[in-house]
Amino acid sequence: METNIMLSLDRISKTFNPGTINEKVALNGLDLRIEKGDFITVIGGNGAGKSTMMNAVTGVFPVDEGTITLDGEDITGLSEYKRAKYFGRVFQDPMTGTAPNMEIEENLALAYRRTKSHGLRWGISEKERVRYKEALARLDLGLENRMHAKVGLLSGGQRQALTLLMATLERPKMLLLDEHTAALDPKTADKVLRLTHEIVREDSLTTLMVTHNMKNAIEYGNRLIMMHEGQIILDIRGEDKKKLTVEALLAQFSRASGSEFANDRALLS
Amino acid sequence: MLLSGLCQGFIWAILSLGVYISYRMLDFADLSCEGTITTGASVAAMLIWRGCNPFLAALLAFIAGCLAGTITGLLHTKLKIPPILAGILTMISLYSINIHIMNLATGKEGTSNLSLLNYKDQTVYAAIDRLLGIGKTNASLLLGLVIAAAVIALLYWFFGTEIGCAIRATGTNEKMCRAQGINTDVTKIIGLAASNGFIALSGALLSQYQSYTDVGMGVGSIVIGLASIIIGETLFARAKHFAVRLLGIVVGAVLYRIVVAFVIFSGMPSTDLKLMTAVVVAVALSLPILKNRLALNAKKKNAKKAG
């Protein structure tokens, strides 16, 4: 077994609503190998299968075919909550990643227990509070002084920053970001992205980041993959990635897929 | 009259706290309540007929309620039946099961009610009275108060634990919970079991307080529970502390019972009570929307004037 492979997807297929008029092949024999320490950005047109790939990896639904191997362990049949201990996740919708009716520190306490079983011990300890306060201070949003505030009161950007912190509080094997800045205004999106970059670098996390922003996809990470019709059609890394431009990327897409790049948001941003 | 309102208020407060777990914590409108309160009453009454210690009978009623809640939870999580329907299925099957439980007391088929009039000395209230010699009414008050306080303390502790936090989080954001490694099927089942356990306990106390259990006694109990929750939340709207919010529900239940006692005293037929309760809850639930409408209308008028 290769030891420097963190995640390996082998011939993953997923079809939604099979046998109906709404049948949609979302993943079509997808192959992907992610090395430890890789920071991969994922781009692709509407319905290319980016989110489906994320959801397949995290076990939101079972895949039809193929195997998912994480750090040498076959996790294909593992349920979503059991896989959670390996993955830190941040979603597109800022509402998804946090519990709005609960306090900031309660949310962090839940995240801290992602890798542990839940018992009848008290839900949060003093020792943890100190740690959370330090971690929140790192975000530089003043949240460390609002530990008892309900998360529902926070702005979208604050919530995404908090979700990012929750995802990485207990070091995950992989950090999965599904268009986590798409719902934010450009300035906030930038701030959250810089924060992401910082955390990923400091903790040297293996990261998969779906984005609709080609500039960001080129700017961040050491490897870029482009998806089309449930498969990976471009895989650019190292020096090639550093030299990439948006125009070159669009041209490469047309050549590889034989069609125009169709993602309204990507073209507008 | 005021005293009987108080005594009954404490009993219904336990039901309301149970409903609070499913309705507010899990965001699950659980109609099993209407069946489990009767299950609790039937189990307790049947066991007392059979000579069981009344406290043990109440405890076993609690466990029976937990089982009923577990069934609702399994129907919803494992068979993917929507919450309302899962609750209705449990409620309707409990109707038959409750009659079977009462059959065990009389040994006859189709027992639809059980009287405890011949067992008046074998209730929890009589036991407390015998122990302290304070009279039945005072014993009822004291026991109601102590049990309500104990349930508040228990819930306060439980929902502060890791499992309790996970249950609260399940009610507010399921997707996030699964991403944080929480098995939401399990948290829902535990929450529903606890909820129905307390509802059944309230039924067990009610059957002993009124010395009567009827298979139809649960009809509308969910609405009474909701009414108490809403009254409590309105009165304690600013309460931040969880224990104070729970206390608010007890106060809400007691106030509701006192109002009911006055209404009946003033001559309204007791059969109209359920209608009245439903109207109160409907109005209370629609208050935010009514407020918005009124504000909107006022704005329109102002705009007309200005234009």
Side-chain angles (χ1 to χ4, degrees):
Chain A
M1 200 75 216
E2 305 144 283
T3 47
N4 65 330
I5 298 292
M6 180 55 93
L7 182 78
S8 142
L9 304 180
D10 294 292
R11 315 237 17 107
I12 299 291
S13 289
K14 177 72 191 177
T15 303
F16 290 111
N17 308 311
T20 72
I21 193 155
N22 292 321
E23 181 172 297
K24 162 97 182 119
V25 179
L27 295 177
N28 189 7
L30 179 80
D31 277 313
L32 179 64
R33 265 178 189 55
I34 297 176
E35 287 175 20
K36 286 180 182 161
D38 264 352
F39 182 170
I40 302 179
T41 56
V42 184
I43 51 171
N46 303 332
K50 308 178 299 274
S51 290
T52 310
M53 176 175 73
M54 287 294 210
N55 291 336
V57 169
T58 53
V60 175
F61 42 69
V63 295
D64 300 337
E65 273 170 60
T67 48
I68 305 168
T69 316
L70 182 78
D71 204 7
E73 182 192 355
D74 183 350
I75 60 165
T76 318
L78 228 52
S79 62
E80 185 182 6
Y81 80 91
K82 279 192 183 148
R83 287 185 209 188
K85 65 170 178 264
Y86 304 127
F87 298 113
R89 292 155 74 185
V90 187
F91 309 91
Q92 177 173 355
D93 183 352
M95 301 297 171
T96 311
T98 47
N101 298 339
M102 297 174 78
E103 296 170 4
I104 291 179
E105 64 166 35
E106 288 178 322
N107 272 274
L108 286 165
L110 282 170
Y112 180 61
R113 284 161 180 73
R114 191 181 67 235
T115 54
K116 306 167 181 65
S117 67
H118 296 73
L120 288 174
R121 285 175 302 266
W122 199 243
I124 182 167
S125 71
E126 274 311 315
K127 217 170 87 192
E128 290 169 52
R129 281 203 178 92
V130 177
R131 187 173 163 202
Y132 299 159
K133 218 177 163 103
E134 281 169 11
L136 283 167
R138 186 174 168 191
L139 299 181
D140 197 21
L141 293 168
L143 294 182
E144 64 275 19
N145 302 317
R146 298 172 63 191
M147 301 255 291
H148 288 292
K150 293 263 152 74
V151 171
L153 299 171
L154 304 184
S155 70
Q158 287 172 329
R159 285 176 77 156
Q160 286 307 67
L162 178 63
T163 312
L164 193 60
L165 187 62
M166 287 166 63
T168 52
L169 194 62
E170 274 296 84
R171 191 172 191 278
K173 280 190 190 279
M174 271 190 82
L175 177 62
L176 302 174
L177 311 164
D178 192 356
E179 301 214 32
H180 70 307
T181 59
L184 307 176
D185 66 82
K187 216 176 126 193
T188 316
D190 236 35
K191 191 162 182 189
V192 171
L193 266 175
R194 275 204 306 276
L195 194 64
T196 308
H197 184 64
E198 230 172 79
I199 291 177
V200 168
R201 202 188 46 211
E202 277 176 33
D203 299 351
S204 46
L205 294 169
T206 310
T207 304
L208 199 56
M209 176 171 95
V210 173
T211 173
H212 65 273
N213 188 316
M214 290 201 172
K215 272 206 324 258
N216 290 338
I218 293 168
E219 187 183 344
Y220 293 99
N222 64 330
R223 185 173 161 196
L224 181 151
I225 59 176
M226 185 181 261
M227 292 185 69
H228 184 64
E229 291 178 350
Q231 285 178 328
I232 291 166
I233 55 166
L234 276 179
D235 190 341
I236 304 165
R237 46 184 122 186
E239 285 306 308
D240 292 339
K241 179 168 180 301
K242 281 182 192 153
K243 283 184 278 183
L244 216 52
T245 62
V246 173
E247 290 74 23
L249 197 55
L250 279 171
Q252 287 208 39
F253 174 83
S254 300
R255 260 205 310 282
S257 71
S259 63
E260 288 293 306
F261 188 78
N263 183 331
D264 359 315
R265 276 176 310 160
L267 295 178
L268 287 173
S269 58
Chain B
M1 186 185 65
L2 188 69
L3 282 176
S4 110
L6 265 175
C7 294
Q8 289 211 38
F10 285 127
I11 295 174
W12 284 94
I14 296 163
L15 173 129
S16 307
L17 289 167
V19 173
Y20 185 79
I21 298 174
S22 55
Y23 184 68
R24 280 281 187 251
M25 300 281 186
L26 281 178
D27 195 18
F28 190 113
D30 179 22
L31 292 179
S32 352
C33 168
E34 310 236 319
T36 32
I37 181 177
T38 317
T39 303
S42 311
V43 167
M46 180 271 286
L47 287 172
I48 289 173
W49 267 57
R50 288 299 194 91
C52 172
N53 174 299
F55 289 98
L56 181 63
L59 180 70
L60 291 172
F62 176 85
I63 292 170
C66 292
L67 284 176
T70 306
I71 299 290
T72 306
L74 288 172
L75 287 174
H76 172 60
T77 56
K78 300 300 174 200
L79 303 179
K80 307 289 172 213
I81 296 172
I84 301 262
L85 210 54
I88 289 178
L89 289 175
T90 304
M91 175 185 87
I92 227 60
S93 41
L94 283 179
Y95 184 89
S96 307
I97 292 170
N98 291 338
I99 289 178
H100 275 292
I101 293 170
M102 288 194 273
N103 286 346
L104 291 178
T106 59
K108 278 182 275 187
E109 285 293 307
T111 312
S112 63
N113 59 62
L114 275 186
S115 167
L116 284 185
L117 285 175
N118 294 329
Y119 301 86
K120 274 210 142 170
D121 296 333
Q122 288 160 52
T123 67
V124 284
Y125 301 107
I128 294 290
D129 180 27
R130 265 201 307 279
L131 195 68
L132 303 173
I134 48 176
K136 275 230 168 120
T137 311
N138 285 337
S140 313
L141 266 181
L142 182 72
L143 192 63
L145 195 68
V146 168
I147 294 181
V151 173
I152 289 183
L154 192 64
L155 291 184
Y156 180 76
W157 165 76
F158 181 65
F159 285 105
T161 63
E162 291 172 349
I163 292 181
C165 286
I167 293 175
R168 281 193 290 148
T170 305
T172 169
N173 189 344
E174 246 189 280
K175 191 168 175 170
M176 170 257 197
C177 283
R178 281 196 293 269
Q180 298 300 349
I182 293 166
N183 185 344
T184 50
D185 286 0
V186 169
T187 50
K188 279 182 184 172
I189 292 170
I190 294 176
L192 288 171
S195 163
N196 284 289
F198 288 118
I199 292 166
L201 175 63
S202 142
L205 294 175
L206 196 62
S207 74
Q208 299 183 43
Y209 180 79
Q210 61 188 22
S211 301
Y212 188 69
T213 300
D214 181 273
V215 74
M217 71 190 278
V219 176
S221 57
I222 180 93
V223 185
I224 295 173
L226 290 178
S228 310
I229 291 172
I230 291 165
I231 296 171
E233 285 183 340
T234 314
L235 290 177
F236 287 70
R238 294 192 171 188
K240 284 233 169 77
H241 203 274
F242 181 53
V244 181
R245 290 214 301 275
L246 292 177
L247 180 69
I249 293 163
V250 174
V251 173
V254 169
L255 279 181
Y256 174 79
R257 272 293 136 187
I258 290 175
V259 171
V260 165
F262 269 104
V263 169
I264 291 179
F265 181 71
S266 68
M268 192 174 104
S270 61
T271 43
D272 285 350
L273 259 183
K274 295 200 158 73
L275 175 63
M276 188 193 84
T277 313
V279 170
V280 167
V281 171
V283 170
L285 285 177
S286 56
L287 268 183
I289 286 182
L290 292 177
K291 260 190 203 159
N292 278 348
R293 286 257 167 86
L294 286 176
L296 210 65
N297 282 344
K299 253 189 201 162
K300 269 188 199 158
K301 266 187 197 157
N302 286 340
K304 257 187 198 164
K305 265 185 209 160

